[in-house]
Amino acid sequence: MKVLILSNSSKRSTNALQQIQQLGSESNWFVGAVTSGEVTHVQLTDRPTSELQHLGNRCLHFTWKSRGTVSLEGLELQVVQEPSDADFILSHGTEALGQQEGTEAQAMSLQDIKAVLQICAQQARPPPMVVANPDVVTVSGSDLIPMPDPVDGQA
């Protein structure tokens, strides 16, 4: 019997399979993986709803730093640095502000990310936020790392 992994990881499915292999599992034990990060990528590629179709392509991207930046390759997005330039916010993590593909993400504290989100929220037209993993915290080894909380608008 082979297993299909279903994960709420904000990273793409290939990353989940690589992590499982690093833990000692054989790749032939699995049919594949579906992650919330993969679903986010597909939704931003296909844009199947009117909300996604009107999202725009300029995003403020929050991602990981120590855990590895989430790639936006193939999404045809323009990563911006200023909240006023963003059509939407894309959140994969809470350690860095993403840069254009091929450029290293800029490390940010959770407090700095919260400040940027406050600026976004105070705009005349606050940009919508796409959250690849809506958990309040994520597990990294024995540590709990805060995630953006879209329900109360805080990070």
Side-chain angles (χ1 to χ4, degrees):
M1 172 174 65
K2 291 192 175 192
V3 175
L4 174 66
I5 298 170
L6 180 59
S7 170
N8 65 345
S9 170
S10 63
K11 295 190 176 185
R12 303 223 25 218
S13 296
T14 53
N15 183 268
L17 290 171
Q18 290 169 351
Q19 285 183 319
I20 292 293
Q21 289 174 8
Q22 290 172 355
L23 295 173
S25 298
E26 299 292 329
S27 61
N28 63 352
W29 296 350
F30 302 97
V31 174
V34 177
T35 65
S36 60
E38 188 72 33
V39 171
T40 300
H41 193 89
V42 168
Q43 293 293 302
L44 288 173
T45 299
D46 296 348
R47 308 270 179 136
T49 67
S50 63
E51 292 84 5
L52 290 171
Q53 290 167 9
H54 294 98
L55 206 53
N57 71 337
R58 296 175 303 160
C59 74
L60 195 60
H61 182 219
F62 294 112
T63 187
W64 298 111
K65 182 77 172 168
S66 66
R67 302 175 79 182
T69 301
V70 176
S71 172
L72 303 181
E73 185 178 356
L75 290 178
E76 298 182 20
L77 296 175
Q78 177 186 354
V79 179
V80 298
Q81 305 306 302
E82 296 297 325
S84 60
D85 294 334
D87 296 325
F88 71 102
I89 302 162
L90 177 56
S91 180
H92 283 102
T94 57
E95 294 178 341
L97 181 62
Q99 308 290 312
Q100 285 294 20
E101 200 65 38
T103 306
E104 190 172 331
Q106 173 191 341
M108 289 186 89
S109 69
L110 186 58
Q111 183 177 353
D112 289 342
I113 289 173
K114 286 181 180 184
V116 172
L117 290 174
Q118 283 296 328
I119 292 168
C120 290
Q122 293 170 357
Q123 292 183 65
R125 298 189 74 167
M129 186 172 185
V130 175
V131 180
N133 179 346
D135 287 346
V136 175
V137 295
T138 187
V139 178
S140 179
S142 61
D143 296 329
L144 294 178
I145 300 173
M147 292 292 291
D149 184 354
V151 175
D152 70 7
Q154 298 287 317

